[in-house]
Amino acid sequence: MWKWILTHCASASPHLPGGCCCCFLLLLLVSSVPVTCQALGQDMVPPEATNSSASSPPSAGRHVRSYNHLQGDVRWRKLFSFTKYFLKIEKNGKVSGTKKENCPYSILKITSVEIGVVAVKAINSNYYLAMNKKGKLYGSKEFNNDCKLKERIEENGYNTYASLNWQHNGRQMYVALNGKGAPRRGQKTRRKNTSAHFLPMVVHS
């Protein structure tokens, strides 16, 4: 290629000394090659390849910083149902509803144990709110998988609490109190049922 350029150039410029022409063309070719390769090298690198190494650590850090503060968060509340009952766990572990605003067994400690997952414990009876695989609500002295509840804020401002580990025919089972204050079986509950809706009320000391 260079041989053709030099020969062609020499024949086209008979009045210029051959050595000067050759040196000029070689200098032009050599000086242009690195610039051209550098420009092509930058253009051929995909954006995701240049950003991946720089952006990955900060992204991972943001997720950790954003969610860690939610774990271990503790709130003292009363869960007031849409059906006008305060959820309570009595000293024998029975779960039900009460109309009494000053019922000591309705004071609950809600603790975040995972992202969007809480444990609900009655302060005065020391029982955790739990749901077994058959959808039955009960009080558990020990914290176990039955005690993990998914907490969700619904469109009407009330919260729902669904079993994290148990479902019925692929459907979530919810903590719910019927119109008489009795707990409903999880199989008969739905997220849209108002019997499964609770308003967390702050406990004032």
Side-chain angles (χ1 to χ4, degrees):
M1 178 71 177
W2 289 11
K3 183 177 179 181
W4 180 87
I5 294 174
L6 293 174
T7 304
H8 203 73
C9 179
S11 62
S13 307
H15 300 293
L16 291 175
C20 293
C21 181
C22 292
C23 291
F24 177 77
L25 287 174
L26 284 173
L27 182 61
L28 181 62
L29 287 171
V30 171
S31 62
S32 65
V33 168
V35 176
T36 306
C37 291
Q38 186 178 5
L40 287 175
Q42 290 178 346
D43 292 340
M44 292 175 65
V45 177
E48 58 269 23
T50 57
N51 295 333
S52 59
S53 60
S55 61
S56 293
S59 177
R62 282 197 299 272
H63 284 293
V64 172
R65 288 193 297 270
S66 296
Y67 296 135
N68 269 359
H69 74 281
L70 295 176
Q71 300 181 19
D73 175 53
V74 178
R75 294 161 280 158
W76 283 41
R77 298 288 188 271
K78 288 189 174 188
L79 291 180
F80 187 62
S81 71
F82 197 92
T83 53
K84 311 303 181 186
Y85 288 92
F86 293 97
L87 187 144
K88 67 174 181 175
I89 309 176
E90 299 178 38
K91 57 184 178 180
N92 60 358
K94 180 182 178 181
V95 179
S96 61
T98 178
K99 293 277 191 179
K100 298 178 180 179
E101 295 185 12
N102 60 348
C103 176
Y105 300 114
S106 64
I107 301 174
L108 309 171
K109 181 172 71 173
I110 302 177
T111 306
S112 297
V113 294
E114 298 176 27
I115 306 305
V117 179
V118 298
V120 178
K121 185 179 184 180
I123 297 297
N124 290 289
S125 65
N126 285 318
Y127 277 97
Y128 288 96
L129 178 62
M131 180 186 291
N132 63 22
K133 66 189 305 181
K134 295 182 179 180
K136 181 181 178 180
L137 290 176
Y138 70 99
S140 174
K141 275 292 186 183
E142 302 295 330
F143 179 78
N144 54 48
N145 284 334
D146 288 358
C147 305
K148 293 182 178 182
L149 302 171
K150 290 191 290 186
E151 183 181 56
R152 174 190 172 109
I153 301 176
E154 301 299 331
E155 295 177 357
N156 60 1
Y158 284 74
N159 287 7
T160 53
Y161 298 88
S163 173
L164 176 66
N165 293 290
W166 308 121
Q167 293 185 348
H168 177 69
N169 293 334
R171 290 180 175 270
Q172 291 186 317
M173 297 191 294
Y174 293 86
V175 176
L177 296 176
N178 64 20
K180 296 182 179 180
R184 298 188 63 188
R185 286 275 182 174
Q187 298 94 324
K188 298 181 179 180
T189 62
R190 298 290 185 271
R191 184 168 66 87
K192 295 297 184 181
N193 295 155
T194 53
S195 61
H197 292 191
F198 292 87
L199 189 65
M201 302 178 67
V202 177
V203 176
H204 299 283
S205 57

